[in-house]
Structures are given as C-alpha cells and as structure tokens.
C-alpha cells in the first residue's frame, strides 16, 4: 500500500490546479476566499481612490459606457468592484499563460508586458488600472497573480472565463442585456458543424461575449492546421487572420481577448513574429459605442469589413421589446423596419432583438454563399413575432435556412427558455426552415458539462418533425371574441389599499394608498407611496392573473381606474375639468411619477389603456368568461361582477348566457384541451407556459343551446363550480397551491375526468 502524501507533497499538489470549470469557480468565483478577500480590499482601496479626480474619471467613463450598453444609469459600486476584480484575474491569466516572470502589476494591467512579448490587443490599459495607483492595490494584484499562476493554463480546453463572468456579474444585469452565455459543449458542436473548411473560411462572432465560440473556432483551426502540416511557426498568426469577434460590452471584450489567447495556447510557443488579437469593442449593428469610445479608455480594434465572413457563428442577445430601454426601443423599431423583421399590432411588444441582430449581421458581415449558425430562443421556430426572421427574406439580404437543432425544456441547465440553433446560407432566394430537424433532449449534471458528458447524457433524434407554428388566425370562432386585459402597470400607480373614510370629507370618496408587493422592480420599488382621496366610482375591483382559479374566484384587488361608467378615460386635467377633485389629485401624482421614471415615451393614461385594452372593457359586461394567459395548467371561470376590470395577465369575453359561459369554462379548464395545444405554446424552463389565444387553435364550435353535447359540458361545468366552491383553502395559501387544491377536488369527485371525455368528443367532432 502506498504511503500517504507528506505535508509538502500535499501543498505542492494544491499549488498545481486543473483549469476546469469547477476548480475555477471554487478558487476564483463569487463564493471563493480569493474573491471575498479581494472584494473587501478593493472596497477599501476605492474609498481612497474615488477622491482622486483622475481615478474618479475612470469610474465615470466606465459608467457612461455601460449606460450606453444598458440604457440606464449604473448605481452603486458593487458592479464596478466586481468588474475590477474580474479584469485583474483575466489579465493575470493572460500573463501566466505565456509564463512571463513579470512581477510589476502596472506593466501587467497596462499590457506593456505582453506587448514586449509581441502580443498586442490581448491586454490593454483601461478603466481598471486604477488599482495600481495605490501600493496596497499593487500588493493585491500581486497576490491575485500568484494565485492564478497555480493553474495549469496550457491544459485549458474550454472558455473557462465565462464561468467567472457568470459567477461574478449579477444575473439581472446579464438578463437586461440578453446575455445568455453558451455552454462549451454546444458552442463546440455548432462551430464544427458550420465551419467545414477552417483553413479557408473566415469566421466571425459578432456578439462574442466571453468568447466561447471564438475559443472553439480557434481550436478548430489549429487542429486542421496540425493535420494539414502547416508550419507551427505560422499557425498562431494565421488563426488571427481567420477568426474574429465583436462585442458591445467593454468587460466582455476584455474577457474574450484573454479567452482567445487561451485558445491559442497550443500554438504560442512555436510562433514567429508578433500577434494582434482580433476582438473588437463596438456595436455590431451600428457605431454608437465606437463614436463614444474613440480616444478614450479602451482601444477599439478595427471590426471586420462588410462581407468579410464566410461563416457567422454565435449567440446574439435575446431581449424582448418590452424589456428594452426607451432609447433602444426607438432604435430597434427604426432598424427592424429597415431590415424587414419588425412585427406590429398586438405582437409588437414580443419583438426580440435577436431577430434584428441576426438579419443585420447577415446583411453587414456575411459574404454571398456564406454560412450562418446562431443560437436562438426556440420561439424563433414557432411564434408569430419571428415570422419575418423565419422567412429569411430581409431588406438587404436573403437567407436559406437549411437546418435546425432544438433543445427542449428537458435540456437543463442551459438557458432560461428552450433554445434552437438555426443554420442557413446567404443566397439570392430566401427559404424558411425545413420540416425536419435535429432534436436534443435529456438533462445534464452541470451547465458547463464537457462535450463528452453532453454526448453521454443527451438523446439526439435526427429527422424529428418540425415544431408546430402558433396560429394567430383561424381555428375556433371564439378567437375573435376574447380580449387581453389592460396593462395596469406600474402596479403601485394602479392598485391600492383602502385606508377608509377621511373624517369630515365626502363619504362618497375614500382615502387610498399604493398597494406594494415584493415583485416590484426598479425604479418603482423604491418610490414613496401615492396617497390620495379618490371618488368611489373610480375605485373598482381588479382581476389579476392570481385572482382566477379553475371554476372559482380566488381574490380581487382594488384599483384606481380613471374611466367613467360610459368608458371615457380621464387624465388629471380631464378629472379636474369634470369636478372629480379626488381623482385629479391621484392622477396628478401618478402622472408626475410616471413622467419622471418612465422607460416609454407615452403618457400614463396611454400606458394603462395600451391598445385600448382598458377602454374596451366599458361599459363592463355583467357576464364574462375570464382565463389566465400563463401557467403550466389552465384556469378559467365565469365572472358575474359588472364592476371588475381585467388585467393583462388575463383574457376575457362577454357572453349572453350562463350556459355558454359554463360551456367555455369546461373547455378552457380541461386537461384534454391543454394537452392538444401544448405544442403551440411558448416554453420556459419548466415546460409550456403561455396560453394567450392558442386554445382557439382548436376547433371549438360556437355554443348551441340545442346541442346535447354542448349542454352536457355546461351542466358538468356547473357541477364543477359547486365542487370548487366547497374546497377549503387554507388561510394565506398562494394562488398556485389553491389552483392545485381545486383540481384535486375536481379529480376526486370524478368531474375532471368527465369534462375531459366530453371535450375530447367535442374536439373530435362527436
């Protein structure tokens, strides 16, 4: 039996670390001792450094650039310190990779040390050099450098720096930018599939992030160079002429440049002559960032010229229109219309930046007959807002989409929603994706699984049928009779708590105050409550998504609804002109807060009546069917409240008879209907999630009071209402649990099964 290792051997073993994702995260990530200590030291250093005007300017320039990227102000110092640490680590990795004995952090962070070795563009002077203005900062950088040198960096086989980026940069920030970094197993497969002649094809990732696709494109080239007998001295420089990247985020570019250098590791020792890392800072869609940064803190590499790339690969930003800043929304509309990918009407808020980016990148950078391979949300293959992208016909470019891969919700961990990869070629005639695809399914042990692990754990189905495209016309006659509720947002300006009567005031008015909740986001969550007296006729019950259970009302909420009984909308001025002093006071305060904090160009009244979805509810119908637009299981009920207003998380329809309402509730609540429309739904991490109007893709006939099957459905739904009303709901229960309890009661009583059987007969024409 071998003897146990000595203390010295154990220390030596720990001083030589494998550069795998898990070790990187443990040793350098957010929960590591190294980061926690460095974060404390950086905070102490910055408290002193911020008093230096030159260093404060660096912080200001960083914030201004990120404002252009994010579309909003960056508050606090947390992100600034996270970025500082991340950049120091990345630069230390670059130095350690080429085994330079350099010990001066100032030469390291400025890039002088690497430039002296003939490597340009990998490390440069930037905002984060502020650390070396203080002796304590220099000492901190030396400690980080010593820690990084423990890794066997020549053994790197993946984009390990994205592990740090995702660990250290808050998820909310990455979500706002549409940053969903691609795991290496997927990036490697996409690159190998799209780049079939690495030594001949120029490859560009126009949204390179931390550099995963660049890493595998470089390694793909080097493997081919080795097999073809290319002289080792030529390989590193040749790669830099064939693989390039662009990104809009300054820290991502710094990380990607070091990732590129790590990818070059097998060719660095034998190289001859200097190198320049071809990763550029800039907006791949337009030059806004370049104009701002020229001559400032970060050097702009020259982006590839138009038509440079034989292959475009990558994962463009996924940002829905409703989540964009007001400035980005305006730019998006103009550019998307110009490229022919904008969708208007009720799908307008569902437009996505990834569609514009794909069309724009193909137009700007892809050569004729060039290949494109982009990772995109799976919704691209099915949803109406992506129809122009699927067509492949853009204003200045035509793409023939010739292949698609899908990764359903079971492929986790991956992205927040299911994904696909679209492969196409720039041609004279556009072509939609084919009707057969490659489908991946199965779970992974970790997000950063290797390609070998992914191959072992995932099931691949070749020639799987294409996904059903969601229909927005046709199907049931009821499609045209259901409407989305009003956009009552921000909630704090619409929903209220009733404070009671103001003493000595008119009893027809109540004092109300903003209703707050834990889900509020900035800037609304930090704003002070609105409080005012409001006339009773403008205080109405509001039905939200969580108000509705199957066949039963759960709860209503009180809201200030500035609409008269006849449907006239009143802003603050209109309320004053009609003598509604209370409503005038509330609306004046709400309009001021909206104007000072809005991210959209329209007024507060236009916001809550977006697309006329509030005014169209007046006069309020005395009998309606209402169902929840989202959820894993459907929830619908009959509403007999002629005062209640419906929020946008619900759909509603006025009906003339209770029998028709019950008939519809039976269908909309049924598992049979849900299962049949599942393929049409958008999908999230936990499966199909949105109903919207996809139920009406089914052939649901108009209710006929003489049809026995229709009447049987209505009668069974009436029984379901009775059972739902009798289910005891625990005090304080959440609406999701309440829905489950109702469904359990219906199942136990045998009513759910009966409804499902009747709905199956109806939909099958029985």
């Amino acid at each position: 039996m071998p003897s146990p290792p000595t203390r010295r051997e154990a220390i030596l073993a720990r001083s030589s670390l494998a550069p795998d994702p898990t070790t990187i995260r443990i040793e350098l990530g957010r929960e590591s001792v190294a980061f926690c200590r460095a974060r404390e030291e950086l905070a102490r250093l910055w408290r002193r450094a911020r008093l230096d005007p030159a260093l404060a300017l660096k912080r200001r320039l960083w914030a201004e650039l990120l404002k252009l990227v994010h579309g909003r102000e960056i508050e606090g110092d947390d992100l600034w310190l996270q970025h500082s640490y991340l950049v120091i680590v990345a630069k230390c990795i670059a130095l350690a990779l080429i085994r330079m004995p350099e010990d001066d952090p100032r030469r390291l962070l400025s890039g002088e040390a690497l430039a002296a070795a003939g490597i340009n563009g990998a490390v440069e002077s930037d905002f984060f050099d502020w650390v070396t203005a203080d002796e304590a900062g220099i000492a901190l950088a030396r400690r980080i450098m010593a820690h990084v040198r423990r890794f066997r960096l020549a053994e790197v086989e993946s984009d390990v720096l994205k592990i740090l980026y995702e660990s250290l940069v808050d998820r909310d920030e990455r979500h706002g930018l549409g940053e969903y970094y691609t795991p290496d197993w997927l990036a490697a497969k996409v690159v190998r599939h799209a780049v079939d002649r690495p030594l001949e094809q120029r490859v560009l990732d126009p949204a390179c992030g931390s550099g995963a696709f660049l890493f595998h494109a470089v390694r793909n080239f080097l493997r081919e160079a080795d097999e073809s007998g290319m002289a080792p001295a030529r390989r590193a420089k040749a790669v830099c002429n064939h693989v390039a990247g662009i990104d809009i985020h300054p820290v991502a570019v710094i990380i990607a440049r070091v990732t590129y250098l790590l990818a070059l590791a097998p060719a660095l020792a034998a190289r001859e002559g200097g190198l320049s890392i071809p990763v550029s800072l800039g907006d791949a869609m337009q030059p806004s960032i370049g104009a701002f940064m020229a001559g400032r803190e970060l050097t702009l590499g020259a982006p590839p010229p138009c038509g440079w790339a034989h292959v475009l690969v990558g994962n463009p930003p996924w940002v829905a229109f409703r989540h964009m800043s007001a400035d980005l929304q305006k730019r998006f509309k103009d550019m998307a219309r110009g490229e022919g990918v904008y969708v208007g009407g009720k799908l307008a808020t569902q437009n996505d930046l990834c569609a514009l980016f794909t069309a724009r990148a193909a137009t700007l950078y892809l050569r004729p007959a060039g290949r494109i391979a982009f990772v995109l949300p799976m919704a691209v293959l099915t949803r109406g807002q992506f129809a122009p992208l699927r067509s492949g016909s853009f204003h200045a470019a035509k793409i023939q989409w010739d292949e698609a891969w899908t990764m359903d919700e079971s492929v986790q961990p991956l992205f927040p929603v299911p994904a696909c990869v679209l492969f196409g070629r720039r041609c004279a005639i556009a072509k939609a994706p084919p009707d057969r695809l490659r489908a991946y399914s199965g779970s992974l042990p970790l997000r950063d699984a290797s390609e070998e692990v992914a191959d072992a754990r995932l099931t691949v189905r070749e020639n799987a049928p294409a996904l059903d495209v969601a229909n927005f016309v046709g199907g049931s006659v009821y499609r045209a009779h259901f409407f989305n509720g009003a956009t009552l947002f921000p909630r704090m300006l619409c929903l209220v708590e009733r404070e009671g009567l103001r003493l000595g005031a008119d009893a027809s008015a109540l004092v109300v105050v903003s209703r707050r909740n834990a889900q509020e986001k900035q800037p609304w969550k930090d704003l002070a409550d609105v409080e005012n007296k409001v006339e009773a006729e403008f205080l109405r019950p509001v039905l939200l998504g969580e108000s509705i259970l199957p066949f039963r009302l759960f709860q209503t909420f009180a809201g200030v609804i500035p609409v008269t009984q006849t449907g006239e909308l009143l802003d603050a001025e209109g309320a004053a002109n009609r003598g509604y002093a209370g409503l005038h006071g509330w609306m004046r305060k709400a309009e001021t807060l909206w104007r000072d904090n809005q991210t959209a160009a329209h007024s507060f009244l236009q916001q809550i009546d977006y697309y006329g979805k509030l005014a169209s509810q007046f006069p309020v119908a005395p009998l309606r069917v209402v169902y929840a637009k989202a959820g894993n299981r459907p929830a619908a009920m009959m509403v007999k409240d002629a005062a209640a207003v419906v929020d946008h998380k619900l759909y509603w329809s006025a009906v003339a008879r209770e029998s028709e309402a019950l008939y519809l509730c039976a269908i909309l609540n049924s598992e049979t209907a849900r299962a049949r429309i599942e393929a049409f739904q958008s999908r999230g991490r936990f499966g199909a999630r949105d109903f919207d109007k996809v139920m009406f893709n089914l052939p649901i006939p108009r209710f006929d009071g003489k049809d026995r099957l229709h009447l049987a459905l209505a009668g069974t739904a009436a029984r379901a209402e009775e059972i739902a009303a009798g289910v005891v709901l625990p005090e304080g229960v959440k609406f999701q649990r309440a829905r489950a309890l109702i469904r359990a009661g219906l199942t136990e009583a045998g009513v759910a099964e009966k409804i499902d059987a009747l709905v199956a007969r109806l939909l099958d024409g029985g």
Side-chain angles (χ1 to χ4, degrees), residues 91-104 107-108 111-119 123 145-146 149 153 261 268 271:
K91 292 182 176 182
C92 287
I93 285 175
L95 193 70
L97 175 67
I98 59 174
R99 299 184 178 180
M100 292 188 68
E102 181 62 55
D103 193 43
D104 183 350
R107 282 175 51 78
L108 161 66
E112 291 179 40
L114 281 175
I119 298 176
V123 172
M145 194 185 307
R149 280 175 171 154
L153 294 170
L261 191 63
L268 288 176
R271 75 188 188 280

Side-chain angles (χ1 to χ4, degrees), residues 576-598:
N577 291 341
R578 286 157 181 77
Y580 297 117
L583 180 63
H584 164 73
W586 178 276
M587 292 297 289
R588 181 172 51 81
K589 295 173 183 178
E591 288 168 0
T592 299
L593 287 174
W594 174 257
R595 186 171 55 250
D596 293 345
N597 297 279
Q598 66 181 352

Side-chain angles (χ1 to χ4, degrees), residues 1 13 28 127 153 156 175 191 261 312 375 409 421 475 500 521 576 699 703-704 711:
M1 177 181 294
L28 296 169
F127 312 112
L153 294 170
V156 166
H175 171 73
V191 166
L261 191 63
L312 288 178
V375 177
E409 64 272 12
V421 186
K521 299 185 181 301
F703 176 74
D704 181 351
L711 291 172

Side-chain angles (χ1 to χ4, degrees), residues 134-151:
D134 188 299
E135 286 299 322
I138 292 174
L140 172 62
R142 282 200 177 99
R143 290 198 298 275
I144 294 174
M145 194 185 307
H147 191 40
V148 165
R149 280 175 171 154
R150 299 164 63 201
F151 287 90

Side-chain angles (χ1 to χ4, degrees), residues 254-565:
I254 294 169
I255 301 303
R257 288 170 176 172
V258 177
T259 296
Y260 199 110
L261 191 63
L262 286 169
L264 283 172
L268 288 176
R271 75 188 188 280
E272 288 183 359
L275 292 178
S276 183
I277 303 300
V279 179
S280 306
L281 173 67
D283 185 341
M285 293 195 296
Q286 56 179 302
S288 57
I289 299 297
F292 171 76
M293 289 304 300
R296 297 291 187 92
E297 287 288 319
L298 289 176
T299 301
L300 289 165
C306 289
W308 180 84
H310 298 91
V311 183
L312 288 178
V313 294
N315 182 350
W318 307 0
V319 185
F321 184 85
R322 62 188 181 278
H323 296 310
M324 297 177 190
S325 66
D327 177 62
L328 181 54
Q329 286 180 342
K330 183 178 184 304
R331 289 193 293 140
F332 174 88
K333 276 187 178 180
D334 293 341
M335 295 181 68
R337 285 175 174 141
E339 293 294 339
V341 295
Y342 184 77
V343 177
K346 292 188 177 181
L347 288 175
T349 61
Q350 307 300 314
N351 278 284
D352 199 289
L353 185 59
C354 68
L356 171 60
F357 195 100
T358 301
R360 188 77 172 152
T363 298
L364 290 176
Y365 304 110
L366 195 59
R367 293 169 60 90
R371 189 110 163 102
I372 183 170
F374 273 4
V375 177
L376 297 160
M378 191 187 287
V380 163
L381 297 176
T382 63
R383 310 305 289 176
Q385 64 268 29
F386 292 108
L389 179 62
R390 286 195 299 274
S391 76
S393 182
F394 313 136
H395 177 70
K398 300 288 187 290
I399 299 293
Q400 287 194 0
W401 297 118
D402 51 27
E403 191 172 357
W405 300 351
T406 61
M407 285 128 277
D408 66 21
E409 64 272 12
S410 72
V411 184
Q412 288 295 336
L414 186 59
F415 302 116
V417 296
C420 70
V421 186
L422 267 184
F423 297 86
R425 194 174 301 277
R426 186 165 183 175
C427 298
I429 300 174
K431 181 182 176 184
D435 58 5
R436 312 300 290 183
L437 50 79
R438 176 189 294 182
Y440 287 85
S441 60
S443 62
L444 296 165
L446 69 164
R447 189 171 190 274
D448 307 302
S450 66
E451 192 172 2
E452 292 74 20
V453 170
D455 287 342
R457 297 291 295 267
L458 298 180
T459 299
V460 181
R461 183 184 175 195
E462 299 288 357
N463 294 315
L467 304 176
D468 290 319
V469 175
N471 295 319
F472 295 90
V473 295
S476 173
V477 294
Y478 282 107
R479 179 187 301 280
H481 294 272
F482 275 84
F483 307 94
N484 190 209
T487 309
L488 301 179
F489 176 86
R491 294 281 196 237
M492 65 161 295
L493 302 183
C494 302
L495 301 187
V496 297
E497 303 283 357
R498 302 190 182 200
E499 293 296 310
L501 292 172
R502 183 184 296 276
L503 293 178
D506 184 353
S508 65
L510 292 172
V511 176
V512 293
V513 64
S514 297
R515 183 180 188 274
R516 313 312 294 254
N517 67 79
Q519 285 72 48
E520 286 181 319
K521 299 185 181 301
Q522 296 289 4
W524 314 107
K525 67 182 296 183
D526 289 337
L527 297 181
D529 293 344
V530 178
E531 182 176 350
N532 212 80
K533 177 177 64 176
V534 176
E535 289 79 6
E537 69 178 280
F538 300 109
L539 296 173
R540 287 180 173 268
V542 174
L543 300 178
L544 305 181
E546 57 261 46
S547 300
I548 304 302
L549 309 180
F551 300 104
R552 175 175 167 177
L553 179 66
F554 186 43
Q555 61 180 329
T556 60
F557 301 84
V560 175
I561 306 299
V563 187
T564 66
Q565 296 283 356

Side-chain angles (χ1 to χ4, degrees), residues 195-203 217 220-222 224 242:
V195 185
D196 53 4
R197 302 187 314 281
L199 303 187
E200 303 171 30
Q201 295 165 313
R202 291 193 294 269
V203 181
N220 198 35
F221 183 100
L222 293 179
E224 185 76 9
H242 282 79

Side-chain angles (χ1 to χ4, degrees), residues 52 71 93 124 126 215 296 390 424 447 625 716 736:
D52 184 320
I93 285 175
E124 298 173 340
D126 53 43
F215 184 95
R296 297 291 187 92
R390 286 195 299 274
R447 189 171 190 274
V625 173
T716 310
Q736 298 95 331

